[in-house]
Amino acid sequence: MPTQRQADPSAGTGSRIDARTQRSRATVLAAATDLLESTGVGGFSVDEVARRSGVAKTTIYRHWPTREALVLDACAGLDDRYDLPDTGTLHGDLRTFVADLVRMVEQAGWAAVLPSIVDAAERNAAFADMHAQIQKGHASLVSQIAERAIGRGELPAETDTALLASTVLGPVFYRRWFSREPFDAAFIDAVTTRAIRGAQGSD
Amino acid sequence: MPTQRQADPSAGTGSRIDARTQRSRATVLAAATDLLESTGVGGFSVDEVARRSGVAKTTIYRHWPTREALVLDACAGLDDRYDLPDTGTLHGDLRTFVADLVRMVEQAGWAAVLPSIVDAAERNAAFADMHAQIQKGHASLVSQIAERAIGRGELPAETDTALLASTVLGPVFYRRWFSREPFDAAFIDAVTTRAIRGAQGSD
């Protein structure tokens, strides 16, 4: 899921976990993320992660006590670091963001997994929490673009950024996961223009 | 899923299936639809349908050769017949439709199941076909509202109704399944007004 690039907080802190354990964890997580991309949350099994990674199930369960804990960590591995555009105009920023988002929902591994997370979130609090985090990340990208535009006087100070996020992310997500119609530049332009027009006009 | 009311094509055609078989089919389907509402596609099992309905698994498999066939039929049972509003104005029709849709995605049994169908559609052609049918039903409700508005001169004849559907359904679906923010009248008003403004302006 697109989140902003951040420094890795664990880097260079002299972790006490020994190197071999760390390598085995990384191998398991990489296999788990690959598996998740092909099966979604529903088809994910620790047996298959063990088979793919060559790491014994007992070892896997030492690090992740439950299937759910491993799925949740594997979801974090789907992260798609993203540099927010800064073109100097609301239209430029939003057009670039929508085009980048379209490319990601069409191509990124997490795009095939997200519906299974949304489904799991309907019934499971841990997945609901994780989905809320992913979602906050998406919405905050739109909010940051909006706040810069407010600073430049391109949007009114009282702009409802949550509503703006609904009108930007909603049509893109709808087309990817619901209508499954192809994306094109005209769609990207129209979503951008209509979201801006909506936020600038009074309802 | 909201679809328009239609006469039942099987009513009064003197079906040859005997009454007891029909009752047992109906019992199984009702149990399957209930189960689907609580588990989604992923957690659905024929064992559990047999337990809940009191109908033997062998009998169930005589009617539905696979778990998937039964899930697909049970999904059809989630149908939510819907009378399209006809208020005489685009704003009236669309405002009523968006409010009805919000009520359905908040309360209807199918709303908790749809993400599992979307997920299954990522990997399974039969579910992808079924999801496409559901989706066409949703989009056609917006198209019919738009076509009446074109007829009254409220929208340009060249209106892109698929794009209009994205800007109406997208924000509602986004808020229900992605951001999970509460719905309120202000949101319903804003989605209605912005979708109309978007379709009336030139991009």
Side-chain angles (χ1 to χ4, degrees), chain B residues 68 72 117 119-133:
Chain B
E68 188 185 86
L72 288 167
I117 297 174
D119 177 44
E122 287 286 328
R123 292 169 199 85
N124 179 310
F127 282 100
D129 285 350
M130 193 191 56
H131 185 233
Q133 289 305 315

Side-chain angles (χ1 to χ4, degrees), chain A residues 84-133:
Chain A
L84 200 65
D86 192 2
T87 65
T89 69
L90 171 58
H91 188 277
D93 285 359
L94 202 59
R95 173 71 175 67
T96 305
F97 172 70
V98 173
D100 289 344
L101 183 66
V102 162
R103 185 180 42 72
M104 286 187 277
V105 299
E106 281 187 309
Q107 298 173 6
W110 60 262
V113 180
L114 192 56
S116 70
I117 297 174
V118 171
D119 178 43
E122 287 286 328
R123 291 169 199 84
N124 180 308
F127 282 101
D129 285 350
M130 193 191 57
H131 185 233
Q133 289 305 314

Side-chain angles (χ1 to χ4, degrees), chain B residues 4-75:
Chain B
Q4 285 184 278
R5 285 178 212 279
Q6 285 176 341
D8 178 355
S10 70
T13 56
S15 164
R16 293 185 199 166
I17 303 166
D18 81 40
R20 201 168 55 171
T21 305
Q22 246 175 354
R23 274 200 306 277
S24 134
R25 265 186 71 98
T27 305
V28 170
L29 262 186
T33 302
D34 276 356
L35 177 61
L36 191 61
E37 287 187 8
S38 65
T39 64
V41 172
F44 186 95
S45 79
V46 176
D47 279 326
E48 183 60 18
V49 174
R51 202 189 63 74
R52 289 180 174 216
S53 65
V55 175
K57 260 174 76 175
T58 48
T59 308
I60 297 177
Y61 278 118
R62 210 171 304 137
H63 294 294
W64 294 275
T66 61
R67 166 187 175 280
E68 188 185 86
L70 180 54
V71 176
L72 288 167
D73 258 12
C75 286

Side-chain angles (χ1 to χ4, degrees), chain A residues 112 122 135 174 197 202, chain B residues 122-123 135 174 176 197 202:
Chain A
E122 287 286 328
Q135 178 47 41
Y174 170 82
R197 198 188 298 151
S202 59
Chain B
E122 287 286 328
R123 292 169 199 85
Q135 178 46 41
Y174 170 81
R176 169 63 181 84
R197 198 187 300 151
S202 60

